[in-house]
Amino acid sequence: GKEAVEKNIGKALERFGSVEDVRALRNLSQDGRLLDGSAFVRFAKKEDAESAVEMSGCVISGRKIGLMPSVDWFTRLEKKRASMKKKREEKDKRPPPPKKENIPGCVLKFEKLESVPECSREDLRSCCEKAGGQVKYVEFSRGDAVGHVRLGAPGILEKLTAEPSIKDVKVTASVLDGDAEKDYYARLEETAAASRKRGGGRRGGGRRGKRQ
């Protein structure tokens, strides 16, 4: 524990003079607030503290120890904080990345998929690729009746039959447009934002989506 660590530090530094107080520091930026391996040590005499600083880099109990006056430690801390603040300010000044424009007519909606035995994202992909489409994203979960496929360019719907089939089962396919297309992209953005907020997540939109 903290008291044991402080006791050991004081005992190790007694070679330089009488130690009056030891305060081990914690890393306040971590949830566990664990000890960060540094401590403040107050000697009874200024000369003893100066002697200790002169021995910075010495090995005590098998470990190399760095020693410095507290004023130097605080100066270094302030410089570090100033540097971090500057980086945050520079980051805040950066313009947001340009929003990627979505090409209209690139999202296909497949329906009646519940009738396809063991229908998968790869089945939807294969159906589109056979028609010449460049698949960018597949959103579908096994057992769902509806799935969406986002393409690199519009124009393959006419290459699909009026009733495309997957595993010899007839399904329907249509191009999202208007409000339906806007709602689709808005939902994708909400999902991506939620994933970023959680600290990431699986690439491609999580469980339901697969991106290429």
Side-chain angles (χ1 to χ4, degrees):
K2 182 173 181 290
E3 292 182 358
V5 170
E6 292 171 342
K7 183 178 180 180
N8 291 336
I9 293 174
K11 186 175 181 180
L13 296 181
E14 283 180 348
R15 67 176 66 184
F16 301 113
S18 177
V19 175
E20 289 193 339
D21 182 58
V22 178
R23 180 161 65 91
L25 304 181
R26 296 183 183 276
N27 189 334
L28 301 181
S29 64
Q30 294 181 344
D31 292 338
R33 297 167 62 90
L34 302 176
L35 298 177
D36 68 0
S38 60
F40 285 117
V41 180
R42 185 170 74 246
F43 288 88
K45 297 180 180 180
K46 180 180 178 181
E47 295 78 8
D48 296 340
E50 292 173 345
S51 297
V53 169
E54 291 177 359
M55 294 300 294
S56 180
C58 67
V59 177
I60 299 177
S61 300
R63 297 182 61 183
K64 189 174 182 180
I65 304 297
L67 300 163
M68 69 176 68
S70 59
V71 63
D72 291 354
W73 185 88
F74 281 110
T75 299
R76 187 174 66 173
L77 179 63
E78 287 302 318
K79 288 182 178 179
K80 182 178 180 180
R81 287 175 174 173
S83 176
M84 294 175 64
K85 181 180 178 182
K86 183 178 180 181
K87 288 181 180 180
R88 287 195 300 268
E89 291 174 346
E90 290 176 350
K91 184 178 180 180
D92 292 339
K93 290 179 181 178
R94 295 175 189 168
K99 187 175 181 179
K100 186 177 181 180
E101 295 295 330
N102 298 312
I103 303 174
C106 287
V107 181
L108 296 182
K109 179 182 180 180
F110 285 84
E111 299 177 271
K112 300 182 180 179
L113 299 178
E114 75 278 11
S115 301
V116 180
E118 298 295 320
C119 185
S120 67
R121 291 191 295 265
E122 292 304 320
D123 293 326
L124 295 177
R125 174 185 303 283
S126 178
C127 180
C128 294
E129 289 179 343
K130 286 179 180 178
Q134 181 187 9
V135 177
K136 291 292 187 180
Y137 185 89
V138 179
E139 183 186 34
F140 175 72
S141 291
R142 288 182 184 271
D144 285 357
V146 178
H148 295 87
V149 178
R150 190 168 80 233
L151 306 171
I156 73 161
L157 185 63
E158 61 271 16
K159 297 181 182 179
L160 296 171
T161 61
E163 291 185 90
S165 63
I166 298 176
K167 293 182 177 180
D168 297 324
V169 176
K170 295 294 184 179
V171 297
T172 61
S174 59
V175 178
L176 290 186
D177 58 8
D179 290 340
E181 187 178 34
K182 292 178 180 178
D183 291 344
Y184 170 83
Y185 282 115
R187 179 166 52 81
L188 281 190
E189 180 56 34
E190 289 177 1
T191 301
S195 178
R196 291 192 295 269
K197 189 175 181 180
R198 291 193 301 269
R202 283 168 41 178
R203 186 174 181 270
R207 178 181 68 87
R208 296 180 59 85
K210 185 175 182 181
R211 189 191 302 263
Q212 295 297 313

mmCIF file of all heavy atoms in Angstrom, residues 138-177:
data_model
loop_
_atom_site.group_PDB
_atom_site.id
_atom_site.type_symbol
_atom_site.label_atom_id
_atom_site.label_comp_id
_atom_site.label_asym_id
_atom_site.label_seq_id
_atom_site.Cartn_x
_atom_site.Cartn_y
_atom_site.Cartn_z
ATOM 1 N N VAL A 138 -22.593 -3.800 -46.575
ATOM 2 C CA VAL A 138 -23.766 -4.672 -46.482
ATOM 3 C C VAL A 138 -24.317 -4.585 -45.065
ATOM 4 O O VAL A 138 -23.582 -4.812 -44.100
ATOM 5 C CB VAL A 138 -23.425 -6.138 -46.810
ATOM 6 C CG1 VAL A 138 -24.659 -7.015 -46.675
ATOM 7 C CG2 VAL A 138 -22.840 -6.258 -48.214
ATOM 8 N N GLU A 139 -25.581 -4.257 -44.949
ATOM 9 C CA GLU A 139 -26.234 -4.182 -43.645
ATOM 10 C C GLU A 139 -27.340 -5.231 -43.604
ATOM 11 O O GLU A 139 -28.379 -5.088 -44.266
ATOM 12 C CB GLU A 139 -26.815 -2.792 -43.403
ATOM 13 C CG GLU A 139 -27.432 -2.650 -42.014
ATOM 14 C CD GLU A 139 -28.134 -1.332 -41.814
ATOM 15 O OE1 GLU A 139 -28.712 -0.816 -42.798
ATOM 16 O OE2 GLU A 139 -28.110 -0.818 -40.691
ATOM 17 N N PHE A 140 -27.110 -6.271 -42.843
ATOM 18 C CA PHE A 140 -28.086 -7.356 -42.766
ATOM 19 C C PHE A 140 -27.718 -8.274 -41.606
ATOM 20 O O PHE A 140 -26.546 -8.515 -41.333
ATOM 21 C CB PHE A 140 -28.101 -8.159 -44.067
ATOM 22 C CG PHE A 140 -29.004 -9.358 -44.022
ATOM 23 C CD1 PHE A 140 -30.382 -9.204 -44.033
ATOM 24 C CD2 PHE A 140 -28.471 -10.632 -43.962
ATOM 25 C CE1 PHE A 140 -31.216 -10.320 -43.978
ATOM 26 C CE2 PHE A 140 -29.303 -11.746 -43.910
ATOM 27 C CZ PHE A 140 -30.687 -11.588 -43.920
ATOM 28 N N SER A 141 -28.739 -8.790 -40.925
ATOM 29 C CA SER A 141 -28.547 -9.796 -39.887
ATOM 30 C C SER A 141 -29.371 -11.022 -40.243
ATOM 31 O O SER A 141 -30.493 -10.897 -40.754
ATOM 32 C CB SER A 141 -28.971 -9.262 -38.512
ATOM 33 O OG SER A 141 -28.081 -8.264 -38.066
ATOM 34 N N ARG A 142 -28.831 -12.189 -39.988
ATOM 35 C CA ARG A 142 -29.535 -13.436 -40.312
ATOM 36 C C ARG A 142 -30.926 -13.442 -39.689
ATOM 37 O O ARG A 142 -31.087 -13.104 -38.524
ATOM 38 C CB ARG A 142 -28.739 -14.643 -39.812
ATOM 39 C CG ARG A 142 -27.473 -14.910 -40.616
ATOM 40 C CD ARG A 142 -26.753 -16.147 -40.086
ATOM 41 N NE ARG A 142 -25.485 -16.377 -40.775
ATOM 42 C CZ ARG A 142 -25.368 -17.100 -41.886
ATOM 43 N NH1 ARG A 142 -26.440 -17.677 -42.409
ATOM 44 N NH2 ARG A 142 -24.186 -17.271 -42.449
ATOM 45 N N GLY A 143 -31.911 -13.845 -40.492
ATOM 46 C CA GLY A 143 -33.281 -13.915 -40.017
ATOM 47 C C GLY A 143 -34.093 -12.677 -40.317
ATOM 48 O O GLY A 143 -35.324 -12.705 -40.236
ATOM 49 N N ASP A 144 -33.430 -11.562 -40.670
ATOM 50 C CA ASP A 144 -34.162 -10.338 -40.992
ATOM 51 C C ASP A 144 -34.858 -10.474 -42.347
ATOM 52 O O ASP A 144 -34.404 -11.210 -43.241
ATOM 53 C CB ASP A 144 -33.217 -9.138 -41.037
ATOM 54 C CG ASP A 144 -32.794 -8.686 -39.646
ATOM 55 O OD1 ASP A 144 -33.291 -9.267 -38.662
ATOM 56 O OD2 ASP A 144 -31.961 -7.756 -39.556
ATOM 57 N N ALA A 145 -35.941 -9.747 -42.512
ATOM 58 C CA ALA A 145 -36.668 -9.769 -43.778
ATOM 59 C C ALA A 145 -36.107 -8.765 -44.776
ATOM 60 O O ALA A 145 -36.301 -8.897 -45.985
ATOM 61 C CB ALA A 145 -38.149 -9.483 -43.539
ATOM 62 N N VAL A 146 -35.396 -7.755 -44.246
ATOM 63 C CA VAL A 146 -34.895 -6.659 -45.085
ATOM 64 C C VAL A 146 -33.392 -6.496 -44.891
ATOM 65 O O VAL A 146 -32.872 -6.644 -43.785
ATOM 66 C CB VAL A 146 -35.613 -5.337 -44.744
ATOM 67 C CG1 VAL A 146 -35.054 -4.187 -45.577
ATOM 68 C CG2 VAL A 146 -37.113 -5.472 -44.963
ATOM 69 N N GLY A 147 -32.706 -6.190 -45.973
ATOM 70 C CA GLY A 147 -31.278 -5.902 -45.915
ATOM 71 C C GLY A 147 -30.938 -4.773 -46.873
ATOM 72 O O GLY A 147 -31.691 -4.516 -47.829
ATOM 73 N N HIS A 148 -29.837 -4.082 -46.613
ATOM 74 C CA HIS A 148 -29.420 -2.980 -47.475
ATOM 75 C C HIS A 148 -27.994 -3.222 -47.963
ATOM 76 O O HIS A 148 -27.145 -3.717 -47.226
ATOM 77 C CB HIS A 148 -29.480 -1.644 -46.741
ATOM 78 C CG HIS A 148 -30.871 -1.246 -46.349
ATOM 79 N ND1 HIS A 148 -31.445 -1.655 -45.170
ATOM 80 C CD2 HIS A 148 -31.791 -0.473 -46.989
ATOM 81 C CE1 HIS A 148 -32.673 -1.160 -45.087
ATOM 82 N NE2 HIS A 148 -32.904 -0.436 -46.171
ATOM 83 N N VAL A 149 -27.750 -2.814 -49.205
ATOM 84 C CA VAL A 149 -26.407 -2.913 -49.787
ATOM 85 C C VAL A 149 -26.055 -1.561 -50.389
ATOM 86 O O VAL A 149 -26.820 -1.021 -51.209
ATOM 87 C CB VAL A 149 -26.342 -3.998 -50.882
ATOM 88 C CG1 VAL A 149 -24.935 -4.040 -51.498
ATOM 89 C CG2 VAL A 149 -26.708 -5.364 -50.321
ATOM 90 N N ARG A 150 -24.928 -1.003 -49.961
ATOM 91 C CA ARG A 150 -24.469 0.270 -50.522
ATOM 92 C C ARG A 150 -23.410 -0.010 -51.575
ATOM 93 O O ARG A 150 -22.441 -0.743 -51.323
ATOM 94 C CB ARG A 150 -23.913 1.180 -49.434
ATOM 95 C CG ARG A 150 -23.667 2.594 -49.964
ATOM 96 C CD ARG A 150 -23.405 3.570 -48.842
ATOM 97 N NE ARG A 150 -22.040 3.483 -48.365
ATOM 98 C CZ ARG A 150 -21.696 3.307 -47.115
ATOM 99 N NH1 ARG A 150 -22.618 3.140 -46.196
ATOM 100 N NH2 ARG A 150 -20.428 3.264 -46.761
ATOM 101 N N LEU A 151 -23.581 0.578 -52.720
ATOM 102 C CA LEU A 151 -22.695 0.345 -53.861
ATOM 103 C C LEU A 151 -21.769 1.524 -54.103
ATOM 104 O O LEU A 151 -22.018 2.633 -53.628
ATOM 105 C CB LEU A 151 -23.532 0.084 -55.119
ATOM 106 C CG LEU A 151 -24.577 -1.039 -55.004
ATOM 107 C CD1 LEU A 151 -25.470 -1.041 -56.235
ATOM 108 C CD2 LEU A 151 -23.897 -2.377 -54.820
ATOM 109 N N GLY A 152 -20.701 1.271 -54.867
ATOM 110 C CA GLY A 152 -19.762 2.333 -55.189
ATOM 111 C C GLY A 152 -20.297 3.296 -56.229
ATOM 112 O O GLY A 152 -19.847 4.441 -56.331
ATOM 113 N N ALA A 153 -21.272 2.845 -57.022
ATOM 114 C CA ALA A 153 -21.867 3.688 -58.056
ATOM 115 C C ALA A 153 -23.272 3.177 -58.332
ATOM 116 O O ALA A 153 -23.559 1.998 -58.137
ATOM 117 C CB ALA A 153 -21.020 3.663 -59.328
ATOM 118 N N PRO A 154 -24.163 4.072 -58.761
ATOM 119 C CA PRO A 154 -25.528 3.640 -59.045
ATOM 120 C C PRO A 154 -25.621 2.927 -60.390
ATOM 121 O O PRO A 154 -24.664 2.879 -61.149
ATOM 122 C CB PRO A 154 -26.303 4.965 -59.078
ATOM 123 C CG PRO A 154 -25.280 5.955 -59.561
ATOM 124 C CD PRO A 154 -23.971 5.501 -58.975
ATOM 125 N N GLY A 155 -26.769 2.355 -60.651
ATOM 126 C CA GLY A 155 -27.031 1.903 -62.015
ATOM 127 C C GLY A 155 -27.075 0.421 -62.255
ATOM 128 O O GLY A 155 -27.152 0.013 -63.415
ATOM 129 N N ILE A 156 -27.002 -0.422 -61.213
ATOM 130 C CA ILE A 156 -27.020 -1.856 -61.515
ATOM 131 C C ILE A 156 -28.404 -2.474 -61.325
ATOM 132 O O ILE A 156 -28.595 -3.646 -61.637
ATOM 133 C CB ILE A 156 -26.016 -2.650 -60.658
ATOM 134 C CG1 ILE A 156 -26.515 -2.754 -59.215
ATOM 135 C CG2 ILE A 156 -24.633 -2.074 -60.745
ATOM 136 C CD1 ILE A 156 -25.847 -3.871 -58.449
ATOM 137 N N LEU A 157 -29.354 -1.688 -60.804
ATOM 138 C CA LEU A 157 -30.665 -2.292 -60.549
ATOM 139 C C LEU A 157 -31.259 -2.848 -61.834
ATOM 140 O O LEU A 157 -31.860 -3.920 -61.847
ATOM 141 C CB LEU A 157 -31.618 -1.280 -59.920
ATOM 142 C CG LEU A 157 -32.984 -1.865 -59.503
ATOM 143 C CD1 LEU A 157 -32.787 -2.926 -58.423
ATOM 144 C CD2 LEU A 157 -33.911 -0.772 -59.002
ATOM 145 N N GLU A 158 -31.062 -2.094 -62.932
ATOM 146 C CA GLU A 158 -31.623 -2.568 -64.190
ATOM 147 C C GLU A 158 -30.944 -3.854 -64.669
ATOM 148 O O GLU A 158 -31.488 -4.593 -65.483
ATOM 149 C CB GLU A 158 -31.517 -1.492 -65.274
ATOM 150 C CG GLU A 158 -30.095 -1.057 -65.608
ATOM 151 C CD GLU A 158 -29.618 0.081 -64.731
ATOM 152 O OE1 GLU A 158 -30.240 0.326 -63.691
ATOM 153 O OE2 GLU A 158 -28.612 0.706 -65.095
ATOM 154 N N LYS A 159 -29.751 -4.121 -64.153
ATOM 155 C CA LYS A 159 -29.058 -5.351 -64.513
ATOM 156 C C LYS A 159 -29.570 -6.550 -63.721
ATOM 157 O O LYS A 159 -29.343 -7.694 -64.086
ATOM 158 C CB LYS A 159 -27.552 -5.188 -64.287
ATOM 159 C CG LYS A 159 -26.917 -4.110 -65.166
ATOM 160 C CD LYS A 159 -25.421 -4.013 -64.906
ATOM 161 C CE LYS A 159 -24.790 -2.912 -65.747
ATOM 162 N NZ LYS A 159 -23.328 -2.772 -65.498
ATOM 163 N N LEU A 160 -30.225 -6.251 -62.597
ATOM 164 C CA LEU A 160 -30.841 -7.324 -61.836
ATOM 165 C C LEU A 160 -32.185 -7.663 -62.475
ATOM 166 O O LEU A 160 -32.810 -6.825 -63.120
ATOM 167 C CB LEU A 160 -31.065 -6.899 -60.376
ATOM 168 C CG LEU A 160 -29.814 -6.594 -59.546
ATOM 169 C CD1 LEU A 160 -30.209 -5.971 -58.218
ATOM 170 C CD2 LEU A 160 -29.008 -7.855 -59.315
ATOM 171 N N THR A 161 -32.638 -8.845 -62.280
ATOM 172 C CA THR A 161 -33.952 -9.197 -62.819
ATOM 173 C C THR A 161 -35.023 -8.468 -62.024
ATOM 174 O O THR A 161 -34.776 -7.938 -60.944
ATOM 175 C CB THR A 161 -34.172 -10.712 -62.698
ATOM 176 O OG1 THR A 161 -34.123 -11.090 -61.320
ATOM 177 C CG2 THR A 161 -33.120 -11.491 -63.477
ATOM 178 N N ALA A 162 -36.215 -8.443 -62.572
ATOM 179 C CA ALA A 162 -37.313 -7.783 -61.873
ATOM 180 C C ALA A 162 -37.536 -8.419 -60.517
ATOM 181 O O ALA A 162 -37.930 -7.753 -59.563
ATOM 182 C CB ALA A 162 -38.589 -7.863 -62.710
ATOM 183 N N GLU A 163 -37.289 -9.695 -60.431
ATOM 184 C CA GLU A 163 -37.373 -10.409 -59.159
ATOM 185 C C GLU A 163 -36.068 -11.181 -58.967
ATOM 186 O O GLU A 163 -35.987 -12.361 -59.321
ATOM 187 C CB GLU A 163 -38.570 -11.368 -59.135
ATOM 188 C CG GLU A 163 -39.910 -10.690 -59.105
ATOM 189 C CD GLU A 163 -41.033 -11.701 -58.967
ATOM 190 O OE1 GLU A 163 -41.399 -12.013 -57.814
ATOM 191 O OE2 GLU A 163 -41.506 -12.170 -60.009
ATOM 192 N N PRO A 164 -35.038 -10.546 -58.446
ATOM 193 C CA PRO A 164 -33.757 -11.235 -58.267
ATOM 194 C C PRO A 164 -33.912 -12.414 -57.315
ATOM 195 O O PRO A 164 -34.790 -12.417 -56.453
ATOM 196 C CB PRO A 164 -32.854 -10.152 -57.675
ATOM 197 C CG PRO A 164 -33.795 -9.187 -57.037
ATOM 198 C CD PRO A 164 -35.018 -9.190 -57.905
ATOM 199 N N SER A 165 -33.071 -13.388 -57.504
ATOM 200 C CA SER A 165 -33.156 -14.562 -56.652
ATOM 201 C C SER A 165 -31.861 -14.747 -55.882
ATOM 202 O O SER A 165 -30.777 -14.440 -56.373
ATOM 203 C CB SER A 165 -33.455 -15.815 -57.476
ATOM 204 O OG SER A 165 -32.391 -16.069 -58.392
ATOM 205 N N ILE A 166 -32.001 -15.252 -54.661
ATOM 206 C CA ILE A 166 -30.860 -15.608 -53.828
ATOM 207 C C ILE A 166 -31.074 -17.043 -53.379
ATOM 208 O O ILE A 166 -32.116 -17.358 -52.784
ATOM 209 C CB ILE A 166 -30.743 -14.676 -52.606
ATOM 210 C CG1 ILE A 166 -30.522 -13.229 -53.051
ATOM 211 C CG2 ILE A 166 -29.595 -15.120 -51.690
ATOM 212 C CD1 ILE A 166 -30.484 -12.221 -51.915
ATOM 213 N N LYS A 167 -30.137 -17.903 -53.719
ATOM 214 C CA LYS A 167 -30.275 -19.329 -53.449
ATOM 215 C C LYS A 167 -31.576 -19.876 -54.038
ATOM 216 O O LYS A 167 -32.303 -20.642 -53.403
ATOM 217 C CB LYS A 167 -30.222 -19.596 -51.936
ATOM 218 C CG LYS A 167 -28.876 -19.303 -51.295
ATOM 219 C CD LYS A 167 -28.880 -19.635 -49.809
ATOM 220 C CE LYS A 167 -27.513 -19.398 -49.206
ATOM 221 N NZ LYS A 167 -27.477 -19.701 -47.754
ATOM 222 N N ASP A 168 -31.859 -19.409 -55.281
ATOM 223 C CA ASP A 168 -33.036 -19.847 -56.044
ATOM 224 C C ASP A 168 -34.358 -19.430 -55.407
ATOM 225 O O ASP A 168 -35.419 -19.969 -55.748
ATOM 226 C CB ASP A 168 -33.024 -21.373 -56.233
ATOM 227 C CG ASP A 168 -31.818 -21.842 -57.050
ATOM 228 O OD1 ASP A 168 -31.430 -21.111 -57.979
ATOM 229 O OD2 ASP A 168 -31.270 -22.916 -56.732
ATOM 230 N N VAL A 169 -34.320 -18.482 -54.482
ATOM 231 C CA VAL A 169 -35.539 -17.960 -53.873
ATOM 232 C C VAL A 169 -35.744 -16.525 -54.365
ATOM 233 O O VAL A 169 -34.827 -15.701 -54.283
ATOM 234 C CB VAL A 169 -35.453 -17.991 -52.334
ATOM 235 C CG1 VAL A 169 -36.709 -17.355 -51.736
ATOM 236 C CG2 VAL A 169 -35.287 -19.413 -51.834
ATOM 237 N N LYS A 170 -36.943 -16.239 -54.875
ATOM 238 C CA LYS A 170 -37.234 -14.920 -55.384
ATOM 239 C C LYS A 170 -37.316 -13.897 -54.250
ATOM 240 O O LYS A 170 -37.960 -14.120 -53.236
ATOM 241 C CB LYS A 170 -38.562 -14.925 -56.143
ATOM 242 C CG LYS A 170 -38.568 -15.783 -57.404
ATOM 243 C CD LYS A 170 -37.627 -15.224 -58.462
ATOM 244 C CE LYS A 170 -37.714 -16.035 -59.744
ATOM 245 N NZ LYS A 170 -36.816 -15.491 -60.799
ATOM 246 N N VAL A 171 -36.632 -12.763 -54.427
ATOM 247 C CA VAL A 171 -36.695 -11.655 -53.480
ATOM 248 C C VAL A 171 -36.995 -10.392 -54.278
ATOM 249 O O VAL A 171 -37.135 -10.435 -55.496
ATOM 250 C CB VAL A 171 -35.363 -11.504 -52.701
ATOM 251 C CG1 VAL A 171 -35.078 -12.744 -51.869
ATOM 252 C CG2 VAL A 171 -34.197 -11.227 -53.646
ATOM 253 N N THR A 172 -37.097 -9.263 -53.609
ATOM 254 C CA THR A 172 -37.299 -8.002 -54.316
ATOM 255 C C THR A 172 -36.154 -7.055 -54.001
ATOM 256 O O THR A 172 -35.574 -7.090 -52.915
ATOM 257 C CB THR A 172 -38.630 -7.337 -53.916
ATOM 258 O OG1 THR A 172 -38.605 -7.056 -52.511
ATOM 259 C CG2 THR A 172 -39.801 -8.241 -54.230
ATOM 260 N N ALA A 173 -35.833 -6.207 -54.970
ATOM 261 C CA ALA A 173 -34.762 -5.225 -54.792
ATOM 262 C C ALA A 173 -35.218 -3.893 -55.357
ATOM 263 O O ALA A 173 -35.822 -3.834 -56.428
ATOM 264 C CB ALA A 173 -33.489 -5.689 -55.486
ATOM 265 N N SER A 174 -34.929 -2.817 -54.630
ATOM 266 C CA SER A 174 -35.303 -1.478 -55.078
ATOM 267 C C SER A 174 -34.236 -0.495 -54.633
ATOM 268 O O SER A 174 -33.473 -0.755 -53.696
ATOM 269 C CB SER A 174 -36.668 -1.073 -54.517
ATOM 270 O OG SER A 174 -36.642 -1.090 -53.099
ATOM 271 N N VAL A 175 -34.185 0.639 -55.314
ATOM 272 C CA VAL A 175 -33.213 1.685 -54.981
ATOM 273 C C VAL A 175 -33.839 2.660 -53.997
ATOM 274 O O VAL A 175 -34.947 3.152 -54.222
ATOM 275 C CB VAL A 175 -32.759 2.443 -56.246
ATOM 276 C CG1 VAL A 175 -31.793 3.564 -55.864
ATOM 277 C CG2 VAL A 175 -32.095 1.498 -57.222
ATOM 278 N N LEU A 176 -33.133 2.931 -52.912
ATOM 279 C CA LEU A 176 -33.617 3.938 -51.968
ATOM 280 C C LEU A 176 -33.455 5.320 -52.589
ATOM 281 O O LEU A 176 -32.422 5.634 -53.187
ATOM 282 C CB LEU A 176 -32.833 3.885 -50.657
ATOM 283 C CG LEU A 176 -33.046 2.684 -49.736
ATOM 284 C CD1 LEU A 176 -32.292 2.898 -48.427
ATOM 285 C CD2 LEU A 176 -34.520 2.453 -49.447
ATOM 286 N N ASP A 177 -34.474 6.165 -52.419
ATOM 287 C CA ASP A 177 -34.367 7.542 -52.901
ATOM 288 C C ASP A 177 -35.155 8.451 -51.977
ATOM 289 O O ASP A 177 -35.865 7.989 -51.072
ATOM 290 C CB ASP A 177 -34.852 7.664 -54.355
ATOM 291 C CG ASP A 177 -36.295 7.210 -54.524
ATOM 292 O OD1 ASP A 177 -36.967 6.955 -53.505
ATOM 293 O OD2 ASP A 177 -36.769 7.092 -55.675
#
